[in-house]
Amino acid sequence: MAERVVITGLGIISALGTGKDAHLTAFRASRSGITGVTHLKSVHADEFVLGEIKMSNDELSEKLGVPTGDNGYTRTTLLCLAAMDDLLQTTDLSLLRNEPFAFINANTVGGMSKMEDIYMDVIATGTDEKNNKYINTLDCAESTENVADHYGLKPIMATISTACSSSSNSLILGARMIKQGIVQRAICGGGDALSRFTLNGFYSLKNVDKKPCQPFDQNRGGLNLGEAAGYCLLESESSAKARGANIIAVLSGYANTNDAYHPTAPSPTGEGASRTMQQALDMAALAPEDIGYINAHGTATQNNDLSEGLAIQRVFGTNAPYFSSTKPFTGHTLAAAGVIEAIFGMWAMEEQMILPNLNFETRMEELGIQPVSSLMEHTPINHVLSNSFGFGGSNVSLIFSKA
Amino acid sequence: MEELKIKLKQQIIDSLNLQGMKPEDIKDDAPLFGDGLGLDSIDSLELMVLLERNYGIKIEDAREGRKILTSVQTMAEYIQQHSKI
Amino acid sequence: MKQPLYILSACSISPQHSYDMERFLNPVISSDDNKLYVTAPDYAKYISPVAIRRMSRMLKMGITAGMRSLEMAGIVTPDAIIIGTARGSVTDMENFLKDMISLKEEALTPTGFIQSTYNSVNGWLAMMTKSTRYNQTYVHRGFSLELCLLDAQMMLAEATGNKYLLAGGFDELTEEYFIIRDKIDYYKDEPVNSRTLLSHYDTKGSIGGEGAHFFTLSNDPNNATCAIHGIAMLQQPSSDALQQAIADMLEKNGITNDDIDVMMCGMNGDVRNKFLMDPLIAGCSTNTTIAAFKQLSGEYDTASGFGLWLVHYLFTHSSIPSDIIYKQGSSTSVKNVLLCNVTIACNVTLMLVTSS
């Protein structure tokens, strides 16, 4: 049997703040990070609410100790660096310098947050060089390579982009590389900064709610976008134990499948999503009733919540485990959603609490189940399931278990 | 109304890139979606943009949009009542 | 690398007549403006009229190359679809972004946004083949295709029952993307006839290219043309580190320099990687024929896909086309081929491909 893969370090920045304490405080106060717009320069800024991180690029740069102004870093990279800085609070960097490890990153639009401001200048012919330091930032790999460079690391690098399941796929790849003995450790996750491009993209799909989102609610009106970055340190159980690391959770099951149904919409019956959850359960050798909490994808779009809700019922029946979507706290953070929600799941298990699905009012008429709408402390959780679904029919489920 | 419908049909053909089709190939009351022209949910979003760009009609709710986009007839009627251009 | 990746079929859409293999290099397609665009096949063959209406070039290229590769291998539903692309559908991204800017964020159509999503070709291929299993997209610049192949190799080594995988890479050249990259010396300042690219190794930059390359892979050697036995990705290696990586790969597979019949070299004509390429070529055995391909494909992030397709071509055809021979070696057979690609950023990838 292949060796178990464990999680020994976490790092995160979202609209709720940086690090564990900020997030747990917000969860316990049921305080959402979704607000009016401060930094995103959109003509729709006054119309929308977003899970925006209330730090400017200069403030983020100061916090990171890098030059402010045009430093060549996009907001995406700055968020990734902030999450990595958080992870390195509890992880010794020298651990990563001494042997080969993997850095698996994910994002959906690279440095679009910067490129959309300068694009017309960039495509004009001529020799104006002021934007050249950003010219390659549309490449998704830009943030990956910049983060590694910033810490002077030479990992095996990969960047994944499977829309809203991207960073969940990062964790799967890292785990597989560890199981195959390619590396002992992998930092896996991803990040996305808000951009007009994605906001208008989802708006053109009529998927955006201008009010705070209401996942799994009969009257849900779409998603709120957010921005975030998160990373997990994955390693083989033996190497974690050998160095006496604190094991936060075991990545006991995962599955990646495809709906093969539609370019953007999930299968309405939840067939693909249920198959994904079932495969993850099978891999973890768990029965549905072993799952104590499901952190659902729960975007609050019509399609996702219907499909995912039915899928949960298919796998777990109407006596489903406690489940919630934490997107009313952070917004939908796209490539970061998978990893930050995996982190929330691990914290829920550590703290033995069920995170609330804010803004829930009315059960969906198609469903016999409904999410937990207020925080529940002192709830035994031994295994959590985290779902991420994306465009292109991409489905990922992850299961974390107590060490 | 007839003139509007012919114009609208050409706009639908152009915006959805319905290659080889002519306005007279689209019946006024034929369903645009499902078994009719076989259009899909992304086409319906494209058609809502068509209404916005050409007739100043903004549809926020996709479900309401689908009712308006039942056929060329329903679209033309809605345009006559609501066009701002 | 314990699990060889057996290649059952390969399909290429490139500037050359590679999709229509009977006409390959007859004639050689060339250009004088530092841009090589693909020679488009009939995209309607695999894509229905309803589906093709909104599709951009990149989607049509990727889907067609993927479907053709499966068809050639006789596989209907692959167990996994794994793709590498540095930039996905650039045209769709450009269209949506420029519409957003010019229309001031009003009345935007969603098609460009949807199709610019990096895994949109994955999604289409899954739908068209009803492949509901593993599906993955790597977007890491010049390593995108190699990461995809590494994943395929891991997947076939895992006890998951997977047997037939579809793997591929693609990237697109557009006029705007050319302007953008030209500003950072990705392309040569002086106009170059593409066929003479490698005689311009004294200036910065290469010529632009594009293409889509798909491979049907298996862990079962039956019906395989050749097999990938080693994949390496080297981040800006020194010349010594490159030589060492090659030596390590050969040693792991129990062969020596002299056993390499062909080195398929992704030289791109950029003076900035001469320090890697000159010693590499000088260090080759006299047995080894050195072949080059970027004068035919142009340079782009997943150009190694064309290189791998060409390697596969050598195994299915008995002779080495004269248009790719850079230096003739004495070996008369094609059993062991080393594919060595170098990018503008001086990253290097290696693949060892053998006849079994």
Side-chain angles (χ1 to χ4, degrees):
Chain A
M1 189 172 156
E3 186 169 25
R4 297 206 300 177
V5 173
V6 300
I7 286 88
T8 53
L10 303 173
I12 183 172
I13 182 168
S14 82
L16 298 178
T18 307
K20 185 176 182 180
D21 290 347
H23 284 83
L24 291 185
T25 304
F27 288 140
R28 290 206 156 98
S30 289
R31 192 186 73 237
S32 169
I34 291 174
T35 61
V37 180
T38 307
H39 298 296
L40 185 71
K41 295 194 272 320
S42 166
V43 300
H44 302 299
D46 294 340
E47 301 164 47
F48 289 110
V49 291
L50 298 172
E52 188 181 55
I53 293 168
K54 295 300 176 208
M55 293 175 88
S56 67
N57 288 359
D58 278 348
E59 286 166 336
L60 282 163
S61 298
E62 268 175 34
K63 177 181 155 84
L64 292 162
V66 299
T68 54
D70 276 343
N71 55 14
Y73 289 144
T74 64
R75 188 170 176 85
T76 309
T77 298
L78 292 170
L79 297 182
C80 291
L81 286 170
M84 194 64 92
D85 255 18
D86 183 42
L87 185 142
L88 292 171
Q89 301 287 317
T90 54
T91 305
D92 185 1
L93 198 55
S94 64
L95 184 71
L96 305 172
R97 289 214 173 100
N98 295 340
E99 58 178 38
F101 81 105
F103 176 38
I104 323 278
N105 198 29
N107 63 67
T108 61
V109 287
M112 183 60 82
S113 55
K114 176 68 182 180
M115 209 59 173
E116 63 190 9
D117 290 340
I118 61 173
Y119 192 70
M120 298 317 278
D121 290 335
V122 162
I123 59 172
T125 48
T127 51
D128 182 2
E129 290 185 357
K130 73 176 192 306
N131 291 320
N132 281 8
K133 65 170 71 159
Y134 292 104
I135 237 167
N136 260 338
T137 59
L138 267 181
D139 294 0
C140 291
E142 181 258 349
S143 52
T144 317
E145 295 187 354
N146 271 335
V147 168
D149 281 351
H150 177 78
Y151 296 103
L153 298 170
K154 288 270 180 195
I156 298 172
M157 286 189 276
T159 312
I160 289 175
S161 194
T162 55
C164 309
S165 62
S166 299
S167 60
S168 295
N169 274 319
S170 297
L171 270 73
I172 293 182
L173 180 66
R176 290 170 59 218
M177 289 175 87
I178 291 167
K179 286 185 183 181
Q180 295 240 345
I182 296 170
V183 291
Q184 279 201 318
R185 277 175 264 276
I187 292 184
C188 306
D192 257 330
L194 283 164
S195 69
R196 294 194 296 284
F197 186 90
T198 42
L199 178 64
N200 282 286
F202 281 97
Y203 191 41
S204 76
L205 286 162
K206 302 208 182 291
N207 266 347
V208 181
D209 196 338
K210 293 182 175 177
K211 306 184 303 299
C213 66
Q214 294 181 275
F216 299 105
D217 193 285
Q218 174 67 19
N219 301 310
R220 65 196 180 283
L223 54 79
N224 305 140
L225 285 177
E227 59 187 349
Y231 295 105
C232 300
L233 175 61
L234 273 58
E235 58 187 309
S236 64
E237 187 172 30
S238 61
S239 73
K241 284 186 170 159
R243 70 182 184 95
N246 173 40
I247 295 176
I248 298 163
V250 179
L251 178 52
S252 53
Y254 48 79
N256 161 315
T257 76
N258 194 280
D259 264 10
Y261 172 75
H262 185 271
T264 59
S267 55
T269 57
E271 192 188 329
S274 65
R275 192 169 50 235
T276 314
M277 287 187 269
Q278 188 60 55
Q279 279 184 22
L281 284 168
D282 292 347
M283 181 179 193
L286 294 174
E289 56 269 26
D290 294 329
I291 299 294
Y293 169 58
I294 301 172
N295 188 302
H297 189 55
T299 56
T301 62
Q302 293 298 324
N303 287 334
N304 177 82
D305 292 8
L306 177 60
S307 169
E308 187 177 12
L310 289 172
I312 290 172
Q313 266 183 208
R314 266 183 188 234
V315 176
F316 296 94
T318 49
N319 190 22
Y322 296 122
F323 73 97
S324 65
S325 164
T326 44
K327 288 189 171 68
F329 279 104
T330 60
H332 188 356
T333 60
L334 307 179
V339 65
I340 71 166
E341 289 162 22
I343 292 171
F344 297 162
M346 286 184 256
W347 285 338
M349 192 160 61
E350 269 192 333
E351 301 287 319
Q352 299 283 288
M353 69 179 185
I354 309 290
L355 306 176
N357 189 112
L358 300 181
N359 309 330
F360 176 80
E361 290 168 359
T362 313
R363 179 190 286 195
M364 289 164 57
E365 63 187 23
E366 301 92 339
L367 295 183
I369 54 175
Q370 66 183 52
V372 173
S373 55
S374 53
L375 185 87
M376 294 168 59
E377 299 266 18
H378 314 297
T379 308
I381 309 171
N382 294 317
H383 308 276
V384 294
L385 172 72
S386 188
N387 285 336
S388 300
F389 308 126
F391 281 5
S394 177
N395 303 318
V396 179
S397 293
L398 304 172
I399 295 176
F400 298 93
S401 301
K402 286 189 101 168
Chain B
M1 186 77 167
E2 287 311 308
E3 210 176 302
L4 170 64
K5 281 192 271 191
I6 292 168
K7 190 170 136 199
L8 185 57
K9 286 174 188 175
Q10 189 60 52
Q11 287 169 334
I12 292 171
I13 289 167
D14 293 343
S15 112
L16 303 183
N17 196 18
L18 299 170
Q19 285 160 353
M21 280 194 94
K22 297 186 289 296
E24 51 268 36
D25 296 334
I26 304 175
K27 291 204 178 80
D28 289 357
D29 51 2
L32 292 172
F33 296 90
D35 293 339
L37 279 185
L39 304 182
D40 65 13
S41 60
I42 298 166
D43 290 313
S44 81
L45 294 166
E46 296 276 341
L47 291 179
M48 285 183 234
V49 174
L50 183 162
L51 292 177
E52 188 172 353
R53 286 188 186 170
N54 294 290
Y55 301 98
I57 294 170
K58 197 166 182 172
I59 303 165
E60 291 281 349
D61 183 354
R63 279 174 296 186
E64 185 203 342
R66 272 299 186 102
K67 282 181 209 154
I68 300 162
L69 303 176
T70 303
S71 64
V72 169
Q73 183 69 32
T74 59
M75 283 178 79
E77 283 167 10
Y78 194 85
I79 290 167
Q80 267 203 332
Q81 289 162 22
H82 296 89
S83 178
K84 296 192 177 107
I85 291 169
Chain C
M1 183 158 156
K2 294 166 215 144
Q3 175 65 57
L5 273 174
Y6 294 101
I7 303 181
L8 304 187
S9 70
C11 178
S12 161
I13 296 174
S14 76
Q16 303 304 322
H17 292 290
S18 52
Y19 184 83
D20 179 10
M21 242 188 301
E22 300 308 309
R23 291 172 64 200
F24 184 53
L25 304 179
N26 184 26
V28 172
I29 307 295
S30 63
S31 76
D32 293 305
D33 61 356
N34 296 0
K35 296 168 195 164
L36 279 170
Y37 289 99
V38 299
T39 298
D42 174 18
Y43 293 126
K45 179 158 192 275
Y46 295 101
I47 310 171
S48 75
V50 178
I52 210 166
R53 287 180 296 128
R54 283 190 302 257
M55 279 184 190
S56 57
R57 243 158 57 83
M58 190 74 267
L59 266 70
K60 289 188 274 198
M61 277 162 62
I63 292 166
T64 300
M67 294 302 289
R68 179 83 187 278
S69 170
L70 287 171
E71 186 183 82
M72 290 194 295
I75 302 297
V76 176
T77 303
D79 295 325
I81 298 172
I82 312 174
I83 286 175
T85 176
R87 288 296 301 279
S89 178
V90 176
T91 301
D92 283 304
M93 184 282 293
E94 290 172 353
N95 288 345
F96 189 78
L97 181 56
K98 283 186 297 181
D99 274 359
M100 182 186 90
I101 294 168
S102 65
L103 297 169
K104 300 192 165 48
E105 303 181 52
E106 298 291 349
L108 296 169
T109 61
T111 298
F113 177 67
I114 295 166
Q115 295 185 165
S116 72
T117 309
Y118 288 86
N119 65 334
S120 57
V121 171
N122 288 76
W124 275 104
L125 284 170
M127 277 190 281
M128 292 170 74
T129 62
K130 299 184 169 47
S131 176
T132 57
R133 294 168 76 173
Y134 186 77
N135 200 297
Q136 191 68 280
T137 315
Y138 292 98
V139 291
H140 199 97
R141 291 183 171 158
F143 292 153
S144 302
L145 177 67
E146 285 75 7
L147 285 163
C148 148
L149 294 170
L150 185 69
D151 187 350
Q153 187 263 329
M154 285 166 58
M155 181 127 290
L156 289 174
E158 288 162 6
T160 48
N162 291 318
K163 196 167 176 195
Y164 300 109
L165 312 185
L166 179 65
F170 49 78
D171 275 296
E172 177 186 20
L173 179 65
T174 70
E175 294 293 312
E176 272 173 32
Y177 195 25
F178 187 90
I179 292 169
I180 291 176
R181 290 191 135 182
D182 197 32
K183 290 186 176 181
I184 44 171
D185 297 325
Y186 202 91
Y187 307 116
K188 290 195 179 295
D189 286 338
E190 68 280 15
V192 167
N193 177 276
S194 56
R195 293 182 75 160
T196 67
L197 173 66
L198 299 183
S199 60
H200 294 263
Y201 235 116
D202 49 353
T203 56
K204 281 197 244 180
S206 184
I207 57 172
E210 60 175 7
H213 298 90
F214 276 79
F215 307 90
T216 305
L217 306 171
S218 180
N219 46 14
D220 179 355
N222 276 322
N223 302 318
T225 312
C226 53
I228 302 172
H229 286 266
I231 302 169
M233 289 168 271
L234 311 174
Q235 295 163 27
Q236 302 184 326
S238 65
S239 178
D240 288 347
L242 172 57
Q243 305 281 349
Q244 189 58 50
I246 292 172
D248 290 348
M249 185 178 278
L250 298 186
E251 193 192 333
K252 262 187 211 161
N253 287 278
I255 56 174
T256 69
N257 232 2
D258 290 338
D259 298 320
I260 299 297
D261 303 300
V262 179
M263 176 155 81
M264 185 65 72
C265 192
M267 291 179 279
N268 56 22
D270 187 328
V271 68
R272 289 168 294 187
N273 61 54
K274 221 169 167 342
F275 78 100
L276 289 169
M277 292 298 109
D278 284 353
L280 179 72
I281 288 163
C284 280
S285 161
T286 52
N287 291 348
T288 307
T289 294
I290 297 166
F293 60 87
K294 283 185 182 159
Q295 74 280 13
L296 302 175
S297 67
E299 175 66 305
Y300 54 100
D301 287 307
T302 47
S304 57
F306 184 71
L308 183 58
W309 176 84
L310 254 182
V311 171
H312 180 267
Y313 179 92
L314 296 185
F315 282 105
T316 51
H317 292 68
S318 46
S319 62
I320 305 173
S322 59
D323 289 291
I324 68 168
I325 295 177
Y326 183 79
K327 181 171 165 275
Q328 181 74 52
S330 56
S331 168
T332 52
S333 62
V334 179
K335 280 187 189 144
N336 299 309
V337 180
L338 182 68
L339 172 59
C340 175
N341 189 42
V342 62
T343 71
I344 297 287
C346 291
N347 292 317
V348 179
T349 63
L350 301 172
M351 286 185 225
L352 180 64
V353 189
T354 75
S355 54
S356 58

